[in-house]
């Protein structure tokens, strides 16, 4: 038990820190809208309607990686689609990237409220977003309390997260939206918890999650954190094939190439990493400032590695 609390803190902190690239991806679910099911991005036989403005915000972030456009759409969503928990989840993630703990706390509660209200009309998504609300509240606790105290309190939230995910899974175990979210969370936990096996989470993302490019992105992140860089690169390339306009995917690919190049002492891989960092930065005006700084730091590190490798 002494190792579980620090690990829980790591899980909440890591998932929160990379809200744009991991947790938000898991809970926001970029929208692939088909002509036949314009209100449901997952192509279910029985569509679950999502508000048009929320949908537009998701497309702006996950197909285009355009955060200013997403914020404009979210402003409309909160005004015109106040019962859509996904809009509040997006706002909570954006609040975290800005260091706005008060906003994060407010939106976390609104996710919970909207999710609980949705249970009556759409129990699958209602339970799903009640789980998301509890997850974000855990992130608030860790952010505010820090250390073992925050991790201990957040552990209770994590139990509630899985309680509501289990309720959603009992309703529709093959639902692609559910499996995308649960697959991401299971994978992040398995990567950070000792002796955990990520194979089941990867299998869930491979077989039951949608849209495909978000599932591939999650698997790439998981393999990256497991330091299995060849597999990570394969899935990053698949994600890029599905959403080629999103600069965050080139950033993810650059991270993987950088670590693979370091391990293999390959100048070619390091050059490829730098090229992908540069490709991500060509659209830096549409990314959060904190993320741009992070990409620039990692690019500089790759340049230093390349220069030192030639000595």
């Amino acid at each position: 038990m002494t190792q579980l609390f620090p690990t829980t803190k790591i899980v909440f902190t890591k998932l929160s820190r990379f809200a744009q690239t991991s947790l938000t991806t898991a809970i926001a679910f970029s929208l692939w809208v088909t002509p036949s099911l314009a209100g449901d991005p997952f192509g279910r036989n029985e569509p679950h309607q999502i508000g048009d403005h929320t949908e537009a915000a998701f497309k702006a972030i996950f197909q285009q990686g355009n955060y200013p456009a997403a914020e404009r759409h979210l402003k409309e969503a909160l005004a015109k689609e106040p019962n859509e928990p996904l809009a509040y989840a997006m706002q909570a993630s954006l609040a975290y990237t800005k260091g706005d703990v008060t906003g994060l706390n407010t939106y976390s509660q609104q996710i919970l409220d909207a999710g609980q209200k949705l249970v009556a009309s759409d129990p699958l998504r209602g339970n799903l977003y009640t789980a998301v609300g509890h997850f974000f509240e855990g992130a608030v606790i860790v952010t505010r309390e820090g250390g073992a105290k925050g991790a201990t309190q957040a552990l209770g939230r994590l139990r509630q997260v899985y309680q509501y995910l289990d309720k959603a899974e009992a309703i529709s175990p093959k639902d692609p939206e559910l499996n995308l979210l649960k697959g991401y969370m299971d994978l992040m936990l398995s990567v950070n918890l000792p002796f955990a096996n990520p194979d089941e989470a990867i299998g869930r993302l491979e077989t039951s999650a949608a849209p495909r490019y978000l599932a591939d992105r999650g698997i790439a992140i998981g393999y990256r954190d497991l330091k299995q860089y060849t597999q990570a690169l394969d899935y990053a390339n698949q994600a890029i094939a599905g959403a080629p306009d999103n600069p965050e995917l080139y950033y993810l690919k650059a991270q993987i190439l950088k670590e693979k190049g370091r391990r293999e002492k390959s100048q070619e891989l390091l050059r490829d990493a730098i090229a992908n960092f540069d490709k991500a930065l060509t659209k830096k005006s549409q990314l959060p400032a904190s993320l741009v700084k992070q990409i620039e730091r990692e690019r500089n590190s790759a340049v230093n590695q390349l220069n030192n490798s030639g000595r």
Side-chain angles (χ1 to χ4, degrees):
M1 292 298 291
T2 57
Q3 291 186 352
L4 180 59
F5 292 151
T7 303
T8 303
K9 178 179 183 293
I10 290 169
V11 171
F12 271 100
T13 303
K14 179 176 284 191
L15 286 174
S16 299
R17 184 183 302 127
F18 295 104
Q20 311 99 303
T21 57
S22 58
L23 177 61
T24 306
T25 307
I27 64 175
F29 320 121
S30 175
L31 304 179
W32 275 2
V33 181
T34 63
S36 60
L37 295 173
D40 188 331
F42 300 98
R44 298 179 177 100
N45 291 331
E46 297 181 4
H48 295 245
Q49 293 297 318
I50 295 173
D52 291 343
H53 296 290
T54 304
E55 177 182 332
F58 289 173
K59 291 173 72 174
I61 288 184
F62 293 105
Q63 290 182 353
Q64 304 160 20
N66 191 330
Y67 284 78
E71 291 197 69
R72 292 193 295 271
H73 290 302
L74 282 172
K75 185 177 180 180
E76 292 290 320
L78 295 186
K80 299 178 181 179
E81 299 158 5
N83 296 321
E84 175 51 65
L86 192 48
Y88 297 116
M90 289 281 283
Q91 284 284 26
S93 298
L94 293 175
Y96 186 90
T97 66
K98 297 175 181 178
D100 179 8
V101 180
T102 300
L104 176 62
N105 183 53
T106 299
Y107 291 124
S108 297
Q109 185 57 55
Q110 289 175 316
I111 299 166
L112 265 179
D113 291 344
Q116 289 166 350
K117 289 177 183 176
L118 191 59
V119 168
S121 60
D122 189 342
L124 172 63
R125 295 190 75 238
N127 281 296
L128 190 58
Y129 283 95
T130 300
V132 170
H134 283 299
F135 188 93
F136 270 111
E137 290 209 329
V140 171
I141 291 169
V142 169
T143 301
R144 283 184 169 170
E145 301 293 339
K149 181 180 179 182
T152 302
Q153 294 179 26
L155 181 61
R157 291 291 181 178
L158 192 60
R159 293 193 185 101
Q160 289 180 296
V161 168
Y162 277 90
Q163 174 187 342
Y164 285 99
L165 286 177
D166 288 345
K167 288 183 179 181
E169 189 165 21
I171 295 167
S172 182
K174 296 297 184 182
D175 181 77
E177 183 177 14
L178 165 68
N179 281 289
L180 185 67
L181 170 59
K182 196 168 188 299
Y184 262 88
M185 295 187 67
D186 287 349
L187 187 56
M188 293 302 106
L189 287 168
S190 67
V191 166
N192 287 283
L193 289 172
F195 311 115
N197 187 344
D199 292 344
E200 183 177 348
I202 290 173
R204 181 187 292 272
L205 287 171
E206 284 182 328
T207 61
S208 301
R212 189 65 256 152
Y213 83 85
L214 277 181
D216 289 337
R217 181 177 179 174
I219 296 171
I221 291 169
Y223 277 130
R224 178 202 65 190
D225 291 349
L226 290 167
K227 304 185 188 308
Q228 297 181 27
Y229 300 122
T230 298
Q231 296 95 320
L233 186 59
D234 288 342
Y235 281 99
N237 283 330
Q238 290 180 43
I240 288 171
D245 295 329
N246 189 337
E248 291 182 280
L249 295 178
Y250 296 98
Y251 169 42
L252 173 60
K253 182 177 179 179
Q255 288 181 313
I256 296 165
L257 286 165
K258 176 175 176 284
E259 292 306 310
K260 186 174 172 64
R262 179 188 58 79
R263 173 181 286 180
E264 298 179 11
K265 297 181 172 58
S266 169
Q267 292 186 345
E268 181 180 356
L269 288 174
L270 289 172
R271 290 191 187 95
D272 199 4
I274 293 166
N276 277 274
F277 282 126
D278 288 340
K279 190 161 188 175
L281 289 169
T282 61
K283 295 186 177 181
K284 64 182 180 180
S285 64
Q286 65 189 47
L287 296 172
S290 59
L291 180 58
V292 171
K293 290 179 181 178
Q294 185 174 316
I295 296 172
E296 290 173 341
R297 283 195 300 269
E298 293 183 39
R299 182 196 183 278
N300 291 338
S301 174
V303 171
N304 290 335
Q305 283 186 31
L306 179 61
N307 291 338
N308 291 334
S309 69
R311 294 177 181 175

